Amino acid sequence: MDSADEQRFREFVSARSPALMRLGFLLTGGDQHAAEDLVQTALAKLASRWRRVETPEAYAKQIMYRQQISWWRASTRRGEVVQATPPELADRDANHQSELRMVLRSALARLTARQRAVVVLRYFEDQPEQEVARTLGCSVGTVRSTAHRSLARLREIAPELAQELEVAK
């Protein structure tokens, strides 16, 4: 990488790191350290292909989605089970939005990596099913069924989120 490429890469990292960290945080179920590792891995892989990549942010996101699934698959082969316990919810007050974010984060953490990736891509990133399928390397039908099961699971895990959506209508 020459100095001009290195400068453009540094500018990209400076500008897009916060957005990539938010995505990493969602994909890892709220684990700050895992999110940092995920972003760092994606940026390292992106740096090695910087000259050949046309859309660096899309490429970095795709690396993050696939890397998170790979880590999840590796952990299931080792027999590790990660479970997050939902936080106790306090009475409604000025911190209500923060509490909802915590509930959502906790609920996302209880989904599988694939379910979390589909939910994040489909609903947080607002990508069409075809794009999600292409990114994750699966069929559109798999994306649809995974999204359906994931939303049902989220309703089961965190019914207070469904109640909030009803209030917002």
Side-chain angles (χ1 to χ4, degrees):
M1 188 182 307
D2 64 16
S3 62
D5 284 336
E6 184 176 339
Q7 181 61 31
R8 283 193 299 275
F9 180 74
R10 287 179 186 272
E11 289 169 1
F12 169 80
V13 170
S14 176
R16 300 310 304 156
S17 285
L20 293 174
M21 273 303 298
R22 283 189 300 272
L23 177 63
F25 199 72
L26 289 170
L27 288 173
T28 60
D31 185 337
Q32 180 73 27
H33 298 294
E36 290 169 357
D37 289 345
L38 191 60
V39 171
Q40 184 176 12
T41 300
L43 291 175
K45 289 182 178 184
L46 175 61
S48 69
R49 306 189 122 223
W50 181 252
R51 286 185 171 188
R52 296 181 296 251
V53 175
E54 292 179 24
T55 53
E57 185 167 4
Y59 188 77
K61 287 179 178 181
Q62 186 171 30
I63 292 169
M64 290 172 67
Y65 302 135
R66 292 184 175 173
Q67 186 66 47
Q68 180 61 22
I69 289 173
S70 294
W71 287 345
W72 173 75
R73 286 180 179 154
S75 70
T76 58
R77 281 194 295 270
R78 289 190 305 264
E80 296 176 11
V81 177
V82 178
Q83 293 181 334
T85 56
E88 294 295 325
L89 295 177
D91 294 331
R92 297 185 144 211
D93 57 3
N95 296 322
H96 184 64
Q97 291 299 319
S98 296
E99 292 171 1
L100 285 177
R101 282 193 295 273
M102 288 176 23
V103 170
L104 178 60
R105 187 177 308 138
S106 176
L108 284 173
R110 294 179 64 187
L111 296 176
T112 66
R114 179 180 290 266
Q115 288 175 327
R116 198 167 37 250
V118 167
V119 168
V120 169
L121 286 169
R122 186 74 181 95
Y123 302 106
F124 287 95
E125 294 284 321
D126 199 29
Q127 291 185 5
E129 292 170 338
Q130 294 80 8
E131 182 68 21
V132 175
R134 189 180 61 75
T135 300
L136 296 179
C138 62
S139 71
V140 173
T142 299
V143 170
R144 286 181 184 149
S145 63
T146 302
H148 178 76
R149 284 192 305 274
S150 301
L151 292 176
R153 180 79 174 126
L154 284 174
R155 284 185 201 102
E156 176 186 313
I157 294 170
E160 56 271 32
L161 294 175
Q163 293 168 359
E164 283 301 313
L165 293 174
E166 290 301 317
V167 170
K169 285 184 181 177

